[in-house]
Amino acid sequence: MTFLRKRFPVAATAALCAVLLASCASNRWDVSHPHYDQAPAAADSMAVLGATESFVITRDKWFANHLDIDRDSLYPFMNRIIQPTLLKTLSGTFRSLYVLPDSLFLKFPEESEKVDEHVYFKGRFPVQGRPFRDGNGYAPPYILLIHEFILGLDQHRENYYDYTQTQKEAPEMRTADNLTVIMAYTLWDNARQIPLYSSLLEENIPLRQGISAQALTQITETTARTMIRQIREGAAK
């Protein structure tokens, strides 16, 4: 018996292949818990952990040279800009936000969190079984866990969190087109002791005017606003 094969136009076949390849190649970069049905209210107390410990600078020599500061002074210089800007922007929405020392964060066990089929990140999470309490014995309803805050140049989150890409050697870069922030964070429900929402976000701004304190402030504000939007929208997923 002979079966006749239906022939598709070449253009249509190519388009279909492109769609299939794109769908296979795309990753999901955030994940919501099934019980995350309502975002924190503005008045809800939220503790922040990991704001300093998680901060990493890639190509620190480039930053030091272009900011005209000593490499040993780079992290303190950056932290004086980035951490206050991040917290100030977040507290404009979450008014009862407060920062806890990283010494408490470092006591949490490190675990791997799956976001998509090939996408994972490592982070520190409170021990389950009892609500986390700060140094004053207070158990905040929510905890914002900042696992990683990576500041770099022309970076891509695939190279950090997609395990099909992380083994590939990145080419050595001498120029810079974009200032990049890549952040891994989790909104933790302290009462129910569950990760409500986790995201691996990536933000870029062009370096047309070069690197400056203003550019660092701008990308940090953009990152914080993206976090706020994601936390709100994550409850609707």
Side-chain angles (χ1 to χ4, degrees):
M1 184 181 292
T2 303
F3 292 91
L4 295 178
R5 230 185 269 178
K6 187 175 180 180
R7 296 173 66 90
F8 289 92
V10 174
T13 304
L16 178 61
C17 290
V19 170
L20 291 174
L21 287 171
S23 64
C24 292
S26 62
N27 288 318
R28 189 177 73 240
W29 298 105
D30 64 340
V31 60
S32 296
H33 194 280
H35 293 156
Y36 187 29
D37 51 10
Q38 185 174 355
D44 287 334
S45 181
M46 184 185 298
V48 180
L49 282 163
T52 301
E53 177 64 27
S54 63
F55 184 46
V56 175
I57 303 171
T58 66
R59 293 182 64 183
D60 58 338
K61 183 178 179 180
W62 186 97
F63 281 104
N65 288 340
H66 285 76
L67 290 167
D68 195 25
I69 59 176
D70 188 78
R71 287 178 77 176
D72 292 337
S73 304
L74 186 61
Y75 272 86
F77 173 82
M78 295 286 201
N79 264 321
R80 286 195 296 271
I81 297 171
I82 289 175
Q83 187 180 32
T85 303
L86 181 72
L87 298 174
K88 180 181 177 181
T89 308
L90 289 173
S91 62
T93 296
F94 304 114
R95 297 193 299 269
S96 296
L97 181 139
Y98 69 106
V99 183
L100 290 174
D102 283 353
S103 58
L104 295 175
F105 181 64
L106 292 172
K107 292 180 180 179
F108 294 163
E110 192 173 54
E111 302 175 20
S112 291
E113 179 87 355
K114 182 177 180 180
V115 177
D116 203 357
E117 183 178 0
H118 301 293
V119 179
Y120 294 81
F121 70 91
K122 286 186 178 181
R124 295 184 180 275
F125 296 88
V127 177
Q128 292 180 303
R130 62 183 185 276
F132 164 79
R133 296 185 180 276
D134 62 21
N136 297 317
Y138 174 63
Y142 298 99
I143 304 174
L144 186 61
L145 302 167
I146 302 178
H147 308 292
E148 283 189 301
F149 188 108
I150 302 168
L151 180 72
L153 303 163
D154 300 322
Q155 296 289 294
H156 302 285
R157 55 191 169 186
E158 292 90 342
N159 297 331
Y160 291 91
Y161 305 118
D162 182 340
Y163 279 71
T164 65
Q165 304 294 321
T166 53
Q167 302 304 318
K168 296 181 180 179
E169 186 174 350
E172 184 178 354
M173 304 292 289
R174 296 186 180 276
T175 60
D177 296 319
N178 296 288
L179 180 63
T180 308
V181 163
I182 295 172
M183 176 187 269
Y185 73 91
T186 296
L187 176 66
W188 180 266
D189 185 323
N190 197 29
R192 292 185 289 181
Q193 300 149 57
I194 56 174
L196 291 176
Y197 178 78
S198 293
S199 175
L200 308 171
L201 70 82
E202 175 186 324
E203 292 291 340
N204 292 276
I205 62 169
L207 286 171
R208 298 189 186 98
Q209 307 299 323
I211 188 65
S212 63
Q214 182 180 359
L216 295 170
T217 299
Q218 180 185 348
I219 197 166
T220 305
E221 289 175 342
T222 301
T223 299
R225 286 194 292 268
T226 299
M227 292 174 68
I228 293 166
R229 176 179 55 79
Q230 288 184 335
I231 288 170
R232 285 173 168 169
E233 294 177 354
K237 291 188 175 182

